[in-house]
Amino acid sequence: GAVVSQHPSRVICKSGTSVKIECRSLDFQATTMFWYRQFPKKSLMLMATSNEGSKATYEQGVEKDKFLINHASLTLSTLTVTSAHPEDSSFYICSARDGLGFRNTIYFGEGSWLTVV
Amino acid sequence: AQKVTQAQTEISVVEKEDVTLDCVYETRDTTYYLFWYKQPPSGELVFLIRRNSFDEQNEISGRYSWNFQKSTSSFNFTITASQVVDSAVYFCALGARNTGNQFYFGTGTSLTVIP
């Protein structure tokens, strides 16, 4: 079945540095990808929606200069946390929509744990 | 506006008991999708089921069953004869076609199955 791969699954970075998280659709073309953030014991919060070849649409309150999203191809979207701070430590999950047909099935990546020290 | 409500924050049951997780949704869209995901302690989201708004048939998959009722805007999830491996956080989610299938998640229900 369709698979979305997210990498890295865990990353530790120093405060002030940038870190990139990749989200790949392995066997389908993802016209739309979504990035979510989850705080401990909280629901998933949508950060942004990215469509291939265009700028991402950010949710209210999400800093687009801090969370850079690039959806350069139909199988890859990246989230770059710039100048990371400890409060950016969280669990980030991407999802990708299979753009074919009416099914509009959405598949999730495995998630990435980011710890900023 | 789209909204998903999971009123049960935490549930504990003894192994082999049945348990129902509630999900109530709000949407103005006529075409929408409802999902249940399981999130074990490792964090990944495991897809359980997707239901389209025009398909109100209930579904059973092994020990899992889902009751979709448009009249009450509910999409409840029942685990029969629960097992310890069922312990996880369960999320109900709504995806509406008119919003590009952006997901709206409930706050999740943390299920603990006690051996």
Side-chain angles (χ1 to χ4, degrees), chain A residues 35 37 39 45 47-48 56 58 61-70 78-82 84 87-90 92 114:
Chain A
W35 285 95
R37 179 175 178 175
F39 296 95
M45 179 191 80
M47 298 175 65
Y58 289 82
V62 178
E63 300 175 62
K64 55 184 169 184
D65 293 331
K66 181 170 187 60
F67 299 99
L68 301 178
I69 292 172
N70 188 306
T78 59
L79 166 67
T80 301
V81 183
T82 62
E87 56 264 31
D88 298 326
S89 299
S90 190
Y92 295 86
L114 170 63

Side-chain angles (χ1 to χ4, degrees), chain A residues 41, chain B residues 6-11 89 107-111:
Chain A
K41 297 188 177 181
Chain B
Q6 292 179 257
Q8 304 150 308
T9 305
E10 296 181 357
I11 299 177
V89 178
T107 49
T109 297
S110 178
L111 174 65

